[in-house]
Amino acid sequence: MKLYVEPATRPLSGTVTIPGDKSIGHRALLFSLLSQTPIRVLGLGDGADNGRSAKAIAALGARIERDGAALVITGTGLDGMCRPTMHVDCGNSGTTIRLLCGLLAGQRFATTLVGDESLSKRPMRRVIEPLAMMGAHITGQGTGADVTPPLTVGPVDRALTAIDYKLPMASAQVKTAILLAGLSAAGETSVTEPGPSRDHSERMLAYLGAPLVTHGLRTTIDTRGWNRHLAGSGFEVPADPSSSAFLVAAALIAGAGEVRLPNICVNPTRTGFLDAIKAMGGAVELEDPRMAGPEPVATVVVRGAARELRGTEIAGDLAVRSIDELPILAILAARARGTTVVRNAEELKVKESDRIATTCAMLRAFGIACEIHEDGFTVEGRPDRPFDPARVHAQGDHRIAMAAAVAGLVASGATQVDDADNVATSYPGFASALSGLGATIRSE
Ligand code: S3P
């Protein structure tokens, strides 16, 4: 699939319903499998990645029924899962495969997890190593630098062993895999992170009654005296802040009459991009704050003509809290006056593409000067003249494709984005949402 974008000729305006948050959607599906009561999931997004988690839980014995706008999931509980009759295909979804490793680590049967070309290159040792310390059996491909899918998880014939694990990188996927395995371990399983990765698992597992406590960067599952019962009645999946970031950025650089994005998850572990935008001098407002179950949500509003942004530094905890938004923040940096430096973001290299390389290749295609570092990149902003019209190869990465399409709004001619099929993994309606705000974009 290709995206074709024309320069914006007028400010963007309108209200967009952003689909459900991908991270929370995966957890709503996978954790519902563990529940002993049916769970009503409202607001699940239509992205292919969440679809992989839905198919996976169905293969493990969950019943999924549609009831109006909701899905009703009847799970199996921790001890009632069925052995899948086929390989479980995780597609492009790192969250599906890594969370399944934790969820299946303590099971009495073996499951084989496969993925697409990109997922088959992604590092799995980060989950395999701690889970093996707990007594899990997980094998994968490769003997060299890392282990990659296909993976075979299980079987084990006894309870897992609790560990006290210090994560080498801030990763919600690895943290969650260990906590899920901890449900099948005897005693106290603890994970300590070097930085604040997203905490949806902690919020949602606690809601289901898991014996979980968090103190700062350390989370513990203590199964002593616990009856292995998880139950709840519903999960409301708020709109995805990572998807919203593309429309927020579009409204900031093309200018906005008023762009309103209701019901966005504003959990502080996800709003680093809003903090970075504020540091750049961009004006984004949050209205109608409320709680959607355990998650805070708000309407994200951008109004007014494009105003000049300034370069900033994105490093440390801020880089962790904006990790998925760094490609689109790079486009804002390219419109800002001065230099923006992104550091401590080496995790970008092992996302759906090597996002340090693909973000810089995208910037250069638009004529923007940038420099690649071991743990990030530097962007020289160009606020005074439009970007060069570009043809960008998205390298199969949804976030690169959407960032390039947004950049096309402030180029001096038409932009073409190749290899953009994977936009469907997180935000299938992206092009029509942007065109609904008044942009000229088509996909074909
Ligand atoms: C995710 C965690 C992050 C993030 C990914 C989704 C999750 O990955 O980049 O898009 O849902 O737990 P890491 O755990 O590898 O940091």
Side-chain angles (χ1 to χ4, degrees):
M1 197 252 278
K2 297 180 196 308
L3 294 170
Y4 299 91
V5 186
E6 298 293 332
T9 50
R10 59 195 154 103
L12 303 182
S13 253
T15 298
V16 174
T17 302
I18 303 274
D21 183 66
K22 184 154 76 78
S23 287
I24 297 174
H26 283 302
R27 287 159 175 81
L29 291 159
L30 297 170
F31 298 175
S32 291
L33 176 69
L34 305 181
S35 171
Q36 283 168 1
T37 48
I39 305 248
R40 219 179 139 75
V41 181
L42 254 180
L44 195 71
D46 52 355
D49 276 11
N50 278 176
R52 297 293 180 178
S53 287
K55 285 211 176 96
I57 61 163
L60 290 163
R63 200 169 73 226
I64 306 178
E65 290 154 312
R66 185 158 283 288
D67 178 17
L71 285 186
V72 180
I73 300 174
T74 308
T76 60
L78 262 175
D79 300 312
M81 284 178 221
C82 323
R83 177 203 189 113
T85 51
M86 295 194 307
H87 295 174
V88 172
D89 189 351
C90 302
N92 194 243
S93 176
T95 309
T96 304
I97 198 165
R98 293 199 179 113
L99 268 52
L100 280 175
C101 284
L103 196 124
L104 295 169
Q107 293 297 317
R108 302 284 183 266
F109 56 82
T111 309
T112 299
L113 307 173
V114 303
D116 71 4
E117 197 187 326
S118 150
L119 188 60
S120 298
K121 291 191 200 128
R122 294 183 67 188
M124 297 296 145
R125 182 169 284 155
R126 51 182 59 204
V127 279
I128 295 174
E129 223 160 60
L131 296 176
M133 287 164 67
M134 299 177 79
H137 303 298
I138 306 181
T139 54
Q141 314 306 306
T143 48
D146 216 303
V147 181
T148 50
L151 304 179
T152 301
V153 187
V156 290
D157 57 10
R158 66 191 69 154
L160 297 176
T161 308
I163 54 169
D164 188 343
Y165 193 71
K166 222 170 153 180
L167 276 179
M169 75 292 284
S171 164
Q173 293 173 355
V174 182
K175 171 178 63 176
T176 306
I178 297 169
L179 295 174
L180 288 171
L183 295 171
S184 296
E188 264 186 70
T189 299
S190 294
V191 190
T192 306
E193 305 187 79
S197 76
R198 62 197 67 193
D199 65 356
H200 309 304
S201 297
E202 295 90 310
R203 291 171 189 248
M204 295 169 75
L205 286 172
Y207 164 75
L208 291 181
L212 175 147
V213 284
T214 298
H215 292 293
L217 295 173
R218 180 180 172 87
T219 301
T220 301
I221 292 266
D222 184 356
T223 57
R224 286 172 300 181
W226 181 51
N227 63 2
R228 294 181 66 72
H229 186 84
L230 294 169
S233 55
F235 285 124
E236 180 180 339
V237 184
D240 196 324
S242 300
S243 300
S244 83
F246 298 100
L247 302 187
V248 167
L252 286 170
I253 62 176
E258 180 175 82
V259 170
R260 297 183 72 80
L261 311 171
N263 206 33
I264 304 294
C265 176
V266 289
N267 176 324
T269 61
R270 298 293 300 282
T271 50
F273 77 102
L274 292 175
D275 297 337
I277 287 170
K278 200 166 175 195
M280 296 173 99
V284 178
E285 278 160 47
L286 298 186
E287 297 179 2
D288 320 317
R290 70 174 177 99
M291 291 300 287
E295 296 286 346
V297 300
T299 300
V300 172
V301 185
V302 183
R303 317 188 165 85
R307 65 156 114 146
E308 192 170 287
L309 302 171
R310 51 179 179 271
T312 189
E313 181 179 83
I314 302 175
D317 288 355
L318 184 58
V320 176
R321 296 194 305 110
S322 60
I323 194 76
D324 289 342
E325 291 70 60
L326 291 172
I328 187 64
L329 283 170
I331 297 300
L332 292 179
R335 287 306 284 164
R337 186 163 301 281
T339 304
T340 294
V341 185
V342 175
R343 293 191 190 289
N344 312 124
E346 48 279 275
E347 278 297 302
L348 286 179
K349 289 194 208 156
V350 290
K351 296 295 177 190
E352 287 84 328
S353 66
D354 172 347
R355 282 191 185 149
I356 296 184
T358 49
T359 298
C360 287
M362 164 182 72
L363 291 172
R364 287 177 184 145
F366 284 105
I368 304 300
C370 60
E371 203 186 311
I372 291 184
H373 311 299
E374 208 25 57
D375 66 343
F377 50 85
T378 299
V379 184
E380 299 302 332
R382 183 165 123 182
D384 299 321
R385 57 195 175 93
F387 297 166
D388 303 341
R391 180 165 181 182
V392 178
H393 196 287
Q395 307 295 340
D397 187 324
H398 55 136
R399 301 208 194 276
I400 299 296
M402 290 187 275
V406 169
L409 299 176
V410 290
S412 57
T415 288
Q416 176 175 331
V417 187
D418 296 329
D419 197 8
D421 302 65
N422 276 340
V423 167
T425 61
S426 62
Y427 194 179
F430 165 73
S432 48
L434 198 54
S435 91
L437 291 176
T440 305
I441 173 169
R442 67 189 165 83
S443 56
E444 130 184 334

